[in-house]
Amino acid sequence: MSTPSSAPGPTRHSSASQPDPGPAGPAGLPFNRRVHVVTAVLDRPEEVDLLQQVCEAMGWPVREPLAGETTVTTDAGWTLRTIEVRIRGVRETAVEQAVSTLDTLAQNAELSLYCRDATLVERMHQPQIEWHLRGRRKAVRRRIRHTLHMAARTGDHDPHAGTVRLVRVPADLDESRPRRLARTRRAARAEFAHHSLPLRRLDPEIHEVGRPSASRGGHVLAFLAFVFTATVICLLGAGLWPAVGADSPRIGAPLIVLTGSYLLGGTLLAVRRTPTHRALPWLVPLAVPLAVPLVPWLGALVQRAYLSRFGLRPAPGTDGLGAVQAGLWVLCVFVAGALLPVAYLGWMRFLAPSLRVRGPWLSWAPAMSTGIGMGMVFSLLILHTAASSGTENRALAAAGRDIPEYFGVTAEYACVEPISREAPYYGAPPPPDSPVVIFGQTGDRVDFWDPAAKQKTSIRLEDARIRVVPHSYSACTGATGWHAR
């Protein structure tokens, strides 16, 4: 008769960093955490066999506790078993998840078992030093002679002289750098010299063992590309593309292609072989519908920053194609700024795989935090650019010149005459002889900006006669023919 599983004994939640015990037992589901659980199972053959079957179905190795592995003792009639629970989970909750999963399995299988101890086993990422086996470098004349020799004949040369083999030797950070390099170099030479493949053993006359030498130039090139991409994003956010001629397709198109290639390629290199890479096929389609309402809202922010210099707000009906263009501008700049550090991380990991376990600046947290910060800075730069454009166009209106359209915000010029002297208004009085600037009506009122007084005025439509004129320098003479809009 089976008894339900329980946990009468305390469960120890520790995360002792131990060397990776290596794969043991049958290969189960993918996992990233290992928890060693010491369990007490009823000392009967059928119960022990049932535990073995349940764990084998999950791909969890089961064994008896090793000598000195645990201090847990059990009562008579019970026996201890150590189960290596392999799960996918977060480090902080791995022990709780493993114990809960094992307890649920025991209840479903009606297995007499309870957990006595649980320890998270983490893999230690030991730094490694790369050593390459490649063909020995020779003089240019000998290289040319060897090339001609290979082109003329197919024999009498080592076909593997130019091939590269790689070995990574664990490094001890407690040693000095010269001693660490010398020790790992000897270990690499021993590994290459005892290789079992023919024509791949270390031959001092043909091969040489050295550190990777082509990565430094790649690192410099990746950093220069990072600076170039950041400059392009900054110019786009500041609205300075026309100043550098990038508004021309012959110049702007290559800039967009280079920037997009760097960002997309680096991001894919950064997320490959990670859980994020497996989630991209459904994360990207999910993000597209979320951006649909976000784009016009961002465009309204740009229009509002532009009209803030006139003391006005966007009128209803201005959220059309111009607002969509402004919203896409902000969204693209934010996404590009957020992905820039991630792309740089991807290129650096691609150029130096051994840096994956060294250098905290090459981890996800600083890259994502820096990227989001850069995206927000570039987005605020767009709002500052919109406000600066509003200041420039306000100066044009004050000088009597027409204002160009700005992302769907179109200026109209109108002559305003109050119906009576007692007509109420807010702000400066409407000028009788010069037109004002109107950016659309809001309900039963109209807000306009007076270029002469450089102030905002608001008046009800029923208290004034308004006549639209074609230009800001048009004359407002005579009230005959005026009509209320």
Side-chain angles (χ1 to χ4, degrees), residues 326-340:
L328 288 176
W329 179 26
V330 179
L331 185 61
C332 291
V333 170
F334 176 81
V335 172
L339 292 181
L340 182 57

Side-chain angles (χ1 to χ4, degrees), residues 214-231:
S215 60
R216 181 172 301 178
H219 294 169
V220 174
L221 185 61
F223 180 75
L224 293 179
F226 174 83
V227 175
F228 170 79
T229 307
T231 304

Side-chain angles (χ1 to χ4, degrees), residues 2-71:
S2 301
T3 59
S5 62
S6 60
T11 301
R12 183 179 53 152
H13 299 269
S14 61
S15 58
S17 296
Q18 303 177 8
D20 182 19
L29 299 175
F31 64 95
N32 62 348
R33 292 286 181 263
R34 296 179 178 181
V35 180
H36 283 184
V37 182
V38 179
T39 61
V41 62
L42 198 62
D43 193 8
R44 295 177 181 176
E46 62 273 13
E47 295 291 335
V48 177
D49 292 342
L50 181 58
L51 173 63
Q52 188 75 26
Q53 295 175 11
V54 170
C55 293
E56 286 181 356
M58 296 297 297
W60 298 344
V62 182
R63 57 177 172 80
E64 296 183 0
L66 302 177
E69 183 180 12
T70 180
T71 58

